[in-house]
Amino acid sequence: MTTKIGGAVLLLLVSVVWTASGGCDGRTIIGSPQAGTGGAVVAGGLGGTTVTGIGGASGIGGASGVGGASGVGGQPGVGGQPGVGGATGAGGRIANACPVAGSAATPTTIADMRPALSRDWVLCSALGLTHQRQAGLRITTADRYSLLGRDAAGNLTAMSGADFEGSVEYLQVGASRVQVNLRSDIGFTIISAPVITTGPGVLIIDNEGVYEYRYVRADENGGAAIPGSGSANGDTIGMGTCPVAGVAVTPKTVDAMRAAISRRWILCSPLGLTQKPQAGIEITTAGRYALLDRDASGAVIPLHGVDFEGSVSYQPSGAADGLIQVNFTQDLGGVGSVFPVITQNPTMMILPTSSTYRYVLPEGP
């Protein structure tokens, strides 16, 4: 199924797939199987994102007990006995602290699905939507979503920024099934046919059989945190020395995109574009790029040679979202096709793939 995939400081987020030749649409579904590191053995992985213990904790993608040797299972109490791989880890499902789901009450039309989903939901499963730390999920009738955190008093509050927000799209599939696409402002899409139950009210989001996320209605449990849920699990947003992403303001034309990314960017995540050691990247209006390094004085300088330089080209995606595809062609021959996302407050450049690359603007003039 095809998926589609913000002043202080600007943030550029880019979804990248590197190939030996040719390019490809870097937009993917969060949670698609990638090699992971959940334990001694991890089948299915975590969308390529490294999360210690997840996959061993509950036997993700494999039979019960697979996912790590004894004592490597991950978070104590997640998926069963600590370090055993999860008493309920069979079948690729993550153990959770959710109540037993009630009677099926899933709407069969878009007109009924939108109001049914549009409310606050409290996370009760081991992982939540986008695999980021969260207290829950808010979906609005304006077809937007945001992850929820908690304020000092413990109340649910919406988190802002491209890492935590996105749009909601509804598609009628046949006479009695509604597909819901949750598109992160950072560029990922989760495709699901949500299941809603009553008595208790539970929202089950199954990412095409890859991962399952469960939430309970906040208006039924008073918004209280659920002990044993995955609120403390998930990726750390602001990788390395990077700040949290701001609001997405992605250009929708080739000229605007070229102007937005043509500058020097300083790497703040553990890995950068092409995964070669670097201090950053410089993109020019002449359609060239070079990786950056630092000299003995600490000054940023461009690297030269086929391993570090290449050309940059732009093309409209042709999709309704108006995204601009940017192709980085190494002089060595490899091609990376990306859909940059730019945010403001702060200014940064992120390349979210199985390894997320993020860049900020240099400090000073």
Side-chain angles (χ1 to χ4, degrees):
M1 178 176 297
T2 300
T3 63
K4 303 179 180 177
I5 356 229
V9 191
L10 274 178
L11 172 58
L12 167 65
L13 304 108
V14 191
S15 181
V16 173
V17 172
W18 284 95
T19 58
S21 62
C24 64
D25 187 333
R27 295 172 289 179
T28 60
I29 299 172
I30 296 177
S32 295
Q34 302 285 341
T37 58
V41 179
V42 177
L46 187 58
T49 304
T50 299
V51 180
T52 302
I54 302 300
S58 49
I60 297 173
S64 180
V66 176
S70 180
V72 187
Q75 306 288 336
V78 177
Q81 297 299 316
V84 180
T88 58
R93 288 290 183 258
I94 304 173
N96 58 67
C98 300
V100 176
S103 302
T106 305
T108 59
T109 67
I110 293 175
D112 292 332
M113 180 66 82
R114 181 178 283 111
L117 286 181
S118 298
R119 64 186 72 247
D120 285 358
W121 300 89
V122 176
L123 179 66
C124 63
S125 57
L127 287 176
L129 191 73
T130 77
H131 294 185
Q132 294 166 2
R133 294 179 184 176
Q134 61 191 271
L137 174 68
R138 175 173 295 168
I139 300 176
T140 74
T141 55
D143 294 347
R144 295 284 297 172
Y145 80 81
S146 61
L147 301 185
L148 298 176
R150 292 188 183 275
D151 61 20
N155 299 311
L156 292 172
T157 182
M159 295 189 283
S160 61
D163 284 305
F164 312 111
E165 299 178 279
S167 60
V168 184
E169 178 186 33
Y170 299 86
L171 300 174
Q172 188 72 46
V173 181
S176 60
R177 183 172 180 267
V178 178
Q179 176 178 311
V180 179
N181 300 331
L182 297 120
R183 304 177 185 277
S184 167
D185 285 346
I186 208 173
F188 298 110
T189 299
I190 287 180
I191 297 175
S192 178
V195 173
I196 298 177
T197 71
T198 59
V202 177
L203 169 62
I204 304 170
I205 300 175
D206 189 311
N207 184 14
E208 294 193 312
V210 181
Y211 287 104
E212 182 183 274
Y213 318 115
R214 293 195 177 209
Y215 298 81
V216 297
R217 287 180 58 145
D219 58 355
E220 289 187 2
N221 85 329
I226 298 176
S229 72
S231 300
N233 295 333
D235 303 337
T236 299
I237 305 306
M239 296 176 56
T241 60
C242 299
V244 174
V247 178
V249 290
T250 305
K252 300 297 184 182
T253 68
V254 167
D255 289 343
M257 180 62 76
R258 180 184 291 110
I261 70 172
S262 295
R263 61 187 71 202
R264 281 188 173 184
W265 300 91
I266 302 301
L267 182 68
C268 61
S269 58
L271 292 175
L273 190 70
T274 76
Q275 297 195 1
K276 291 182 172 66
Q278 61 189 272
I281 188 171
E282 182 172 22
I283 302 170
T284 73
T285 55
R288 295 287 296 172
Y289 80 85
L291 301 184
L292 302 175
D293 198 1
R294 292 186 184 274
D295 62 18
S297 69
V300 175
I301 58 173
L303 291 165
H304 298 292
V306 295
D307 286 307
F308 313 110
E309 298 178 282
S311 61
V312 185
S313 61
Y314 305 80
Q315 65 188 71
S317 67
D321 52 25
L323 295 179
I324 304 301
Q325 178 174 309
V326 180
N327 304 312
F328 290 86
T329 303
Q330 298 181 76
D331 287 347
L332 188 62
V335 178
S337 296
V338 307
F339 289 87
V341 177
I342 299 181
T343 73
Q344 62 185 8
N345 300 325
T347 300
M348 182 194 301
M349 180 164 81
I350 300 180
L351 322 175
T353 63
S354 57
S355 296
T356 299
Y357 316 133
R358 300 193 178 210
Y359 297 79
V360 295
L361 292 183
E363 295 182 358

